[in-house]
Amino acid sequence: MRRIAASHVTINGHDYRNHVVELDEQGLIIRHYQLTEELPHTEWHQHLCFDER
């Protein structure tokens, strides 16, 4: 699993602020949620965009 956090995340056209995205080995989203605290083993980015339609 890969965990990425960003101040601005777009998933399938929906925008989120301060959000975490967890990806499986193929790079598909397992889940995403609001960032509420610092998490270990997290990559940090300014902006992320996913389109899984």
Side-chain angles (χ1 to χ4, degrees), residues 18-36:
N18 300 322
H19 219 63
V20 177
V21 179
E22 294 182 355
L23 306 172
D24 66 12
E25 291 78 23
Q26 290 77 39
L28 299 175
I29 296 174
I30 299 171
R31 67 183 185 139
H32 61 93
Y33 49 91
Q34 183 72 32
L35 177 66
T36 57

Side-chain angles (χ1 to χ4, degrees), residues 30-49:
I30 299 171
R31 67 183 185 139
H32 61 93
Y33 49 91
Q34 183 72 32
L35 177 66
T36 57
E37 61 186 338
E38 245 185 83
L39 300 168
H41 311 289
T42 302
E43 296 175 39
W44 295 89
H45 297 269
Q46 287 294 320
H47 181 88
L48 296 170
C49 186

